[in-house]
Amino acid sequence: MGALLEVRNLKYRTEEGKEILKGVNLDVKEGEIHVLLGPNGAGKSTLANLIAGAGGYEEPTEGEIIFDGKVINGKPLYERAKMGLTIAFQEPARFEGITVEEYLKLSARNNPDADIEECLRKVGLDPCHYLHRFVDDSLSGGERKRIELASIMCMKPKLAVLDEIDSGIDFVSIDEIGNLFKTMRDEGTTLLVITHRENIANIADRASLLCDGQIVETGDPRKIIKKFEKECLVCEVQNPSLVKEVKVQNN
Amino acid sequence: MKLNLDSRILQGIDFLHKVGVNIQPQDLAFFVDKNEILHKKPLQGIKSEVIPTEFGIKMRTVIEPGVKIDYPVALCFGNISHGGEHINEQELIVGEGAEVKIYTFALIGPGQTLHRKDLVTVRIGKNAKVELYDIHYHDRSADINFYAELNAYLDEGAYFYNLLKVTDQKSGKFRTKFYGEVGPRAVAVVEAKMKATEGDDVVVEDIMKLVGEEARGLSKSRIIALDGAKAEFIGEAYGEAPNSRCHIDCAEVVKGENVVLKNIPVLVSTNETAKLTHEASIGKIDKKQLETLMAKGLTEDEATEVVVQGMLR
Ligand SMILES: Nc1ncnc2c1ncn2[C@@H]1O[C@H](COP(=O)(O)OP(=O)(O)OP(=O)(O)O)[C@@H](O)[C@H]1O
Ligand SMILES: [Mg+2]
């Protein structure tokens, strides 16, 4: 299948002149789970925000983002969402006075077929206990992330960018989340998944490695994981503290 | 022109429906239009005396020790056909171990020029539990100057919850002052939800005195200020007793221009084991909240409305 998302030579420089993305090229094919790996600070969240048009990252410094055949540079977040492109943030916001049910209904506004309770069940939350709770500070980090995942399922977008949605969720349920990603894919949502977890990366159809603001390789997830472990985790540019630690241990 | 009795009650019910209170005339325990008592029904377990005065009413309500009122008590204090000077004085005395949940509705009809004072005192006995919901309807066409004072005295182990809600139409010039004296192991929770629109001037003042060992207080206010509104919050906590705790949490959100907001927390501790905290914010709606909703396809205006409605709920 063709690319649903094409990122062409994307550059992003902050106002202070710091270059965060240095010419990213990335294709996400329709119907795939594409995992984006990379060390802390590589620019994964910046890339995710640029793709979604969030966090003040509507316009890249250079380059093009093409979604569903259209250049979307400069389009506001909600317009991209209406086109079928959404993002789950690394830290989704919390809301006073809004119930889980209302939140999921808002998410399902353009998907009348959504079964809210079923979406909750799929993320491992019992609707009886959660529908009427508020999406506020009373939820644990893991619960909030699960609700975000349920909201994406309710929305059923063409492409969902998931920025570390698995962090904060118990380790035992990671396999469960991998299966969920597969279900979402099979139901028609293409996924770009940012993660640090190998077992999530393992279920991907393809993976890319982002390092120092550039995609260094795209391909078979197992190969990319190996490269990530072998090269990135010991790279002095991206992980000076870790390298130092390793060196001390080796000595 | 004077309306007949029933139609004023029906008008009041209509106002309540407008602010989302789904109530029927038969659910009302009491309805007064300034100093004209239009309806009063005897309530099981509750002794209540009402005296009309020149400018309003004086009401004294007593719940005997151990009596648990298992239905919500709904009282309407309206200005349906009377404006001018209006003063209500109310005293609520709840005996040891008693429990009650009371809704008071302040209903201000159209076209009034009103100067109203509600002076309420609540005395809550040992281990008694009182919930008080004060919900307002102020018609947009009324010219309102409102002062609402609530004094609460909590005996050992008592629980008091108060919610003040002025979130529809307009607030007018509105000043509310809560004063609470919280006894040993007693808990006082006061919440204010206010919306200030063009020309409104809202002041919310909460004073919590923790006078008993392990007393707990929480003051939580949410104020939304739209174009051309003024709002001020003053929160004072006095930790006078050992191991007493109080938290003041006030968020004032601006939606529009020419808004003036003030937020003044005061924490005074006279006991080294007391712990007082406050959380105050003034400003626009959190960008992250808006973006989380906009990622679902809501426009910025729609997202703003969802966040505001949630805060005022
Ligand atoms: N507005 C900004 N101004 C300056 N530096 C920024 C800004 N935004 C991001 N950065 C920097 O850009 C780099 C990339 O950040 P980004 O959040 O995209 O990394 P990441 O790959 O998502 O990391 P993590 O794995 O920790 O989530 C980091 O070094 C970060 O500190
Ligand atoms: Mg990140």
Side-chain angles (χ1 to χ4, degrees):
Chain A
M1 280 205 222
L4 179 60
L5 177 78
E6 296 167 58
V7 177
R8 295 281 159 262
N9 190 32
L10 200 71
K11 294 189 182 169
Y12 189 79
R13 208 179 302 119
T14 64
E15 274 173 19
E16 300 80 51
K18 185 176 173 191
E19 243 190 337
I20 298 178
L21 299 182
K22 303 174 179 172
V24 169
N25 286 294
L26 176 72
D27 276 358
V28 178
K29 291 184 193 166
E30 191 167 353
E32 74 172 348
I33 299 176
H34 195 118
V35 155
L36 184 64
L37 290 171
N40 292 129
K44 302 182 296 299
S45 293
T46 307
L47 177 58
N49 282 331
L50 277 164
I51 292 171
Y57 295 90
E58 271 159 21
E59 195 74 74
T61 310
E62 235 182 282
E64 265 182 352
I65 305 166
I66 302 159
F67 174 69
D68 217 5
K70 293 172 202 77
V71 177
I72 57 169
N73 291 29
K75 267 195 192 297
L77 174 62
Y78 72 89
E79 273 186 31
R80 297 186 204 200
K82 282 185 177 158
M83 291 172 74
L85 164 56
T86 195
I87 181 166
F89 294 109
Q90 197 164 345
E91 293 292 337
R94 290 156 188 268
F95 302 90
E96 283 183 7
I98 298 174
T99 64
V100 170
E101 184 176 20
E102 288 161 343
Y103 186 67
L104 296 183
K105 276 190 178 155
L106 281 173
S107 311
R109 282 206 311 182
N110 298 314
N111 178 25
D113 298 334
D115 183 340
I116 285 167
E117 297 193 12
E118 188 54 28
C119 291
L120 268 181
R121 261 181 235 114
K122 279 186 180 156
V123 297
L125 300 179
D126 180 353
C128 295
H129 293 129
Y130 284 92
L131 272 179
H132 302 297
R133 282 191 60 178
F134 291 115
V135 190
D136 62 9
D137 291 339
S138 68
L139 293 171
S140 75
E143 286 169 332
R144 179 66 191 90
K145 288 260 169 114
R146 282 170 196 258
I147 285 161
E148 202 54 22
L149 201 50
S151 80
I152 304 253
M153 296 177 86
C154 288
M155 195 180 165
K156 209 173 159 192
K158 288 183 191 154
L159 173 68
V161 181
L162 309 179
D163 192 356
E164 298 196 27
I165 194 106
D166 54 297
S167 73
I169 297 184
D170 327 332
F171 223 75
V172 278
S173 38
I174 286 301
D175 286 342
E176 203 187 302
I177 285 171
N179 286 330
L180 213 58
F181 289 169
K182 286 187 198 160
T183 314
M184 288 167 82
R185 174 196 62 193
D186 297 343
E187 287 174 358
T189 295
T190 301
L191 297 175
L192 177 59
V193 181
I194 298 171
T195 183
H196 286 286
R197 288 205 172 129
E198 197 185 315
N199 34 0
I200 294 276
N202 261 323
I203 59 111
D205 300 301
R206 291 197 308 152
S208 292
L209 181 57
L210 183 71
C211 180
D212 192 21
Q214 278 176 307
I215 299 284
V216 292
E217 196 169 333
T218 294
D220 179 70
R222 275 151 292 269
K223 217 174 118 198
I224 302 292
I225 295 166
K226 277 229 176 76
K227 190 176 173 80
F228 174 60
E229 285 173 344
K230 234 173 90 190
E231 295 175 23
C232 293
L233 294 180
V234 294
C235 167
E236 299 213 26
V237 182
Q238 289 284 322
N239 263 322
S241 57
L242 188 69
V243 174
K244 216 166 150 192
E245 231 172 80
V246 174
K247 277 185 180 164
V248 170
Q249 278 171 13
N250 288 350
N251 288 344
Chain B
M1 185 197 76
K2 251 199 183 145
L3 302 161
N4 77 47
L5 300 186
D6 271 20
S7 75
R8 276 183 279 173
I9 295 180
L10 292 177
Q11 218 176 326
I13 293 284
D14 187 44
F15 295 158
L16 286 172
H17 290 176
K18 282 189 186 156
V19 292
V21 178
N22 259 325
I23 200 165
Q24 299 308 321
Q26 62 269 24
D27 302 325
L28 290 177
F30 179 74
F31 197 112
V32 62
D33 183 14
K34 190 170 173 175
N35 55 4
E36 276 185 84
I37 298 165
L38 307 183
H39 170 75
K40 184 174 192 286
K41 82 175 172 196
L43 296 170
Q44 209 166 359
I46 300 178
K47 283 185 201 151
S48 177
E49 275 173 69
V50 193
I51 308 163
T53 60
E54 189 183 352
F55 294 116
I57 54 140
K58 266 191 182 177
M59 186 180 214
R60 187 169 189 271
T61 306
V62 179
I63 297 165
E64 297 291 346
V67 175
K68 295 192 171 146
I69 308 296
D70 58 0
Y71 54 90
V73 178
L75 314 171
C76 281
F77 300 91
N79 291 89
I80 310 294
S81 63
H82 300 274
E85 200 73 26
H86 182 181
I87 303 170
N88 285 329
E89 289 174 71
Q90 285 184 70
E91 192 178 12
L92 171 67
I93 298 160
V94 181
E96 183 173 339
E99 282 181 19
V100 68
K101 192 179 199 171
I102 298 175
Y103 288 83
T104 60
F105 301 116
L107 308 174
I108 299 169
Q112 320 264 348
T113 297
L114 178 70
H115 190 185
R116 176 164 158 175
K117 270 186 198 167
D118 282 5
L119 309 171
V120 181
T121 299
V122 183
R123 299 181 195 281
I124 310 172
K126 214 171 158 182
N127 299 322
K129 192 178 166 193
V130 175
E131 287 176 50
L132 208 56
Y133 298 82
D134 186 13
I135 296 165
H136 287 233
Y137 172 87
H138 298 181
D139 197 88
R140 204 178 286 280
S141 65
D143 178 6
I144 300 163
N145 187 338
F146 205 120
Y147 175 67
E149 185 182 296
L150 171 62
N151 299 291
Y153 300 88
L154 284 75
D155 211 334
E156 187 174 349
Y159 174 84
F160 179 55
Y161 173 78
N162 180 68
L163 172 67
L164 169 68
K165 221 172 155 182
V166 192
T167 56
D168 196 70
Q169 306 260 328
K170 69 185 260 173
S171 295
K173 188 167 163 35
F174 190 98
R175 187 180 174 101
T176 176
K177 182 177 173 189
F178 169 80
Y179 171 82
E181 267 184 32
V182 190
R185 285 165 291 285
V187 178
V189 178
V190 291
E191 271 195 84
K193 304 208 171 188
M194 312 282 307
K195 184 162 95 181
T197 61
E198 171 98 62
D200 287 351
D201 184 352
V202 167
V203 181
V204 176
E205 185 176 6
D206 280 347
I207 305 168
M208 286 274 191
K209 272 204 172 185
L210 307 160
V211 295
E213 201 169 330
E214 288 176 41
R216 296 278 179 276
L218 170 66
S219 144
K220 184 175 162 186
S221 298
R222 296 291 177 261
I223 305 170
I224 310 288
L226 308 182
D227 280 324
K230 261 172 100 174
E232 179 174 336
F233 173 80
I234 307 151
E236 299 176 24
Y238 296 85
E240 300 178 355
N243 298 312
S244 53
R245 303 263 178 282
C246 186
H247 183 62
I248 296 175
D249 168 7
C250 176
E252 289 174 90
V253 172
V254 187
K255 195 188 146 199
E257 286 165 9
N258 299 318
V259 170
V260 184
L261 293 179
K262 264 196 205 173
N263 196 321
I264 312 164
V266 179
L267 305 180
V268 182
S269 169
T270 49
N271 186 294
E272 67 282 2
T273 59
K275 191 176 174 194
L276 310 173
T277 50
H278 79 85
E279 207 178 328
S281 70
I282 285 187
K284 285 195 179 173
I285 294 174
D286 180 28
K287 188 115 183 68
K288 194 86 209 192
Q289 287 185 315
L290 294 179
E291 288 202 329
T292 301
L293 294 170
M294 283 158 73
K296 319 285 183 214
L298 279 74
T299 63
E300 185 159 349
D301 282 347
E302 288 170 332
T304 302
E305 199 50 33
V306 169
V307 175
V308 165
Q309 289 311 325
M311 283 178 80
L312 294 181
R313 193 174 206 163

